[in-house]
Amino acid sequence: MKREQWGSRFGFIMAAAGSAVGLGNIWKFPYLAGTQGGGAFLVVYLVIMATIGAALIMAEIAIGRSAKMNPVGAFRALGGRLWSVTGVIGVITGFLILSFYSVVGGWTIAYLVKSIAGTIESAQPELLEAQFGGLVSAVWEPIFYHGAFMVLTMGIVIAGVAQGIERSVKVLMPLLFILLMVLVVRSVTLPGAWEGIEFFLVPDWSQVNGEMLRAALGQAFFSLSLGMGAMITYGSYLDKDADIPNASCWVVFLAALVGVLGGLLVLPAVFAFGMDPGAGPGLTFITLPAVFGEMIGGYLFQIIFFAMLLIAALTSSISLLAIPVAYFAEEYGIERKWSAIVVGIVIFLIGVPCSLALGVWGEYKLFDMNFFDLMVYAVDNYTLPIGGILTSLFAGWVVLEKMGKELSNDGSLTFKWMGAFTWIMRIVAPLAVVWVMLGGWLNYFAVLVWLNFLTLATRFMAPLAGAWEILNGLLGS
């Protein structure tokens, strides 16, 4: 059977950007910026996205297109059976993330429904906190919305690459940007919003520390869907004529842009109404509804916000489901429709204890964590970073020549930034991810190293690329 392909370059970019643009950009990024120093965090995050993030996303797409297979098959075909373990980690990661991600996606549906019904209009954070706590700790309501979110995701993936994923993101992604821009314009024009804009856009370099750098790197990985095989899967449907570096830059730009717009949506509004920018995850479901409750036209803007949040969640969830669906369809010959249905049901069932862990099953803990927190911890601290390390080492040391051919698009090794790409894949990305996994160790040394790296990356990337070409032969390239 002929392998599916994207119908257009625009469709691929929208799908890949949709995978990258999710709850991590709109829900997680603003509260990280609020708790990690505002403008300094933003600058560090953008530089990491433009260097390590761009290089890794190019590598994953190139691996997928080169092998034309799912993550497990791609690593096996290009590097041998042992390397297929990296693809297995990606499939498992997609499974785990979607199981709890779908629960949060269900909350967005619930809040959209409640916003339309007008049942969460309040300017009192205490009441909104109680309402949110009541939703997530209930038994059947969050499971129902979790199921509804999975049905939406499964329906799109079942329709296929061109007719399902591509067709949906061509509508959803432009709509997301339109809704986001409407909200940003309203937020930055609020009286008192300038303090939030200044906090978010003006760096305070005294805020730079090891914790902030780790948070920025971790957010870049999560927001670009790196280390889980999503971009490998999407890249496998890409035709040979597509310009991978160009498409990758567009994906990174759009993902970063949504993060910046998300910050401009949330933080000015929070400052305008005297809320706490460091409120953490509660910014989305507690603090922002309180802001909407005090805002003229808040009812309408609240509906727009949760509709936008649902769209962002869906564009990412379909890429997460596409990973295991492609694996089972290609490795075991299961028809795509049935693969999506079976995998979707299994993920839904795993998500049920994730939901219950925030309520009636909260007392049941392993390693002092409930089931929801355990799943998040396993992904953030093990499967995602390990997948990222192995992918970068694979691209930099095992299939570097293939990477050069894919990135140059003409079968040669003439990719302009091949030196910088090699350096990042072989050394910078693996060490950076290991550092994130190690937590607070050697923070002072790490800050010095990273500040020097950021300076070099922003000012001297071209000379570094040229220097690397001279040293390339010595390193056995």
Side-chain angles (χ1 to χ4, degrees), residues 380-446:
D380 286 350
N381 293 277
Y382 294 101
T383 63
L384 261 183
I386 290 172
I389 291 170
L390 292 176
T391 300
S392 60
L393 292 175
F394 182 76
W397 293 98
V398 180
V399 292
L400 184 62
E401 186 173 342
K402 286 187 174 69
M403 295 296 95
K405 291 179 179 179
E406 291 293 334
L407 296 177
S408 64
N409 291 313
D410 61 4
S412 67
L413 290 174
T414 57
F415 174 49
K416 181 179 179 181
W417 300 108
M418 194 64 192
F421 174 84
T422 306
W423 180 54
I424 291 173
M425 289 295 99
R426 287 184 167 181
I427 300 170
V428 177
L431 288 180
V433 180
V434 167
W435 173 57
V436 170
M437 293 178 68
L438 291 178
W441 296 8
L442 303 175
N443 267 352
Y444 177 72
F445 175 74

Side-chain angles (χ1 to χ4, degrees), residues 250-477:
W250 271 108
V251 172
V252 171
F253 170 74
L254 292 173
L257 178 62
V258 171
V260 172
L261 292 176
L264 288 174
L265 158 64
V266 174
L267 294 173
V270 167
F271 272 86
F273 289 98
M275 304 291 185
D276 179 13
L283 270 177
T284 299
F285 295 102
I286 299 170
T287 306
L288 274 181
V291 169
F292 291 132
E294 294 188 5
M295 185 187 295
I296 297 175
Y299 169 76
L300 175 62
F301 288 111
Q302 185 166 271
I303 292 173
I304 293 173
F305 174 77
F306 285 110
M308 178 197 64
L309 201 63
L310 175 59
I311 291 171
L314 273 175
T315 58
S316 287
S317 67
I318 57 180
S319 72
L320 289 169
L321 184 58
I323 303 167
V325 166
Y327 169 71
F328 286 107
E330 294 172 14
E331 298 291 318
Y332 298 98
I334 302 173
E335 186 183 350
R336 183 182 185 88
K337 180 178 86 168
W338 290 109
S339 178
I341 291 173
V342 172
V343 171
I345 290 173
V346 171
I347 290 175
F348 167 76
L349 293 175
I350 296 174
V352 170
C354 286
S355 180
L356 295 176
L358 301 174
V360 295
W361 286 6
E363 62 184 275
Y364 301 109
K365 296 185 178 182
L366 185 63
F367 304 114
D368 202 32
M369 289 179 282
N370 63 42
F371 192 74
F372 186 100
D373 292 338
L374 184 64
M375 298 288 273
V376 175
Y377 182 83
V379 167
D380 286 350
N381 293 277
Y382 294 101
T383 63
L384 261 183
I386 290 172
I389 291 170
L390 292 176
T391 300
S392 60
L393 292 175
F394 182 76
W397 293 98
V398 180
V399 292
L400 184 62
E401 186 173 342
K402 286 187 174 69
M403 295 296 95
K405 291 179 179 179
E406 291 293 334
L407 296 177
S408 64
N409 291 313
D410 61 4
S412 67
L413 290 174
T414 57
F415 174 49
K416 181 179 179 181
W417 300 108
M418 194 64 192
F421 174 84
T422 306
W423 180 54
I424 291 173
M425 289 295 99
R426 287 184 167 181
I427 300 170
V428 177
L431 288 180
V433 180
V434 167
W435 173 57
V436 170
M437 293 178 68
L438 291 178
W441 296 8
L442 303 175
N443 267 352
Y444 177 72
F445 175 74
V447 170
L448 292 179
V449 171
W450 270 94
L451 284 176
N452 278 283
F453 164 68
L454 295 176
T455 301
L456 289 170
T458 52
R459 296 183 181 180
F460 305 113
M461 184 61 77
L464 280 174
W468 180 259
E469 294 300 337
I470 297 173
L471 296 173
N472 229 4
L474 297 176
L475 294 176
S477 301

Side-chain angles (χ1 to χ4, degrees), residues 81-107:
R81 185 167 296 276
L82 185 62
W83 278 100
S84 67
V85 173
T86 307
V88 172
I89 292 172
V91 173
I92 292 172
T93 302
F95 245 97
L96 296 180
I97 292 178
L98 190 51
S99 65
F100 64 80
Y101 192 93
S102 178
V103 173
V104 181
W107 299 345

Side-chain angles (χ1 to χ4, degrees), residues 24-46 196-204 207 211-212 215-216 219 258-268 270-271 276-281 283:
N25 300 72
I26 299 172
W27 166 52
K28 191 176 180 181
F29 180 80
Y31 81 71
L32 274 180
T35 57
Q36 299 296 333
F41 175 84
L42 174 63
V43 172
V44 172
Y45 169 77
L46 291 177
I197 297 172
E198 190 174 34
F199 170 79
F200 183 55
L201 297 182
V202 179
D204 175 3
Q207 298 293 322
E211 181 184 357
M212 187 263 270
Q219 175 63 15
V258 171
V260 172
L261 292 176
L264 288 174
L265 158 64
V266 174
L267 294 173
V270 167
F271 272 86
D276 179 13
L283 270 177

Side-chain angles (χ1 to χ4, degrees), residues 237-257:
Y237 304 118
L238 192 61
D239 67 77
K240 287 292 183 182
D241 296 327
D243 186 335
I244 291 178
N246 180 273
S248 300
C249 289
W250 271 108
V251 172
V252 171
F253 170 74
L254 292 173
L257 178 62

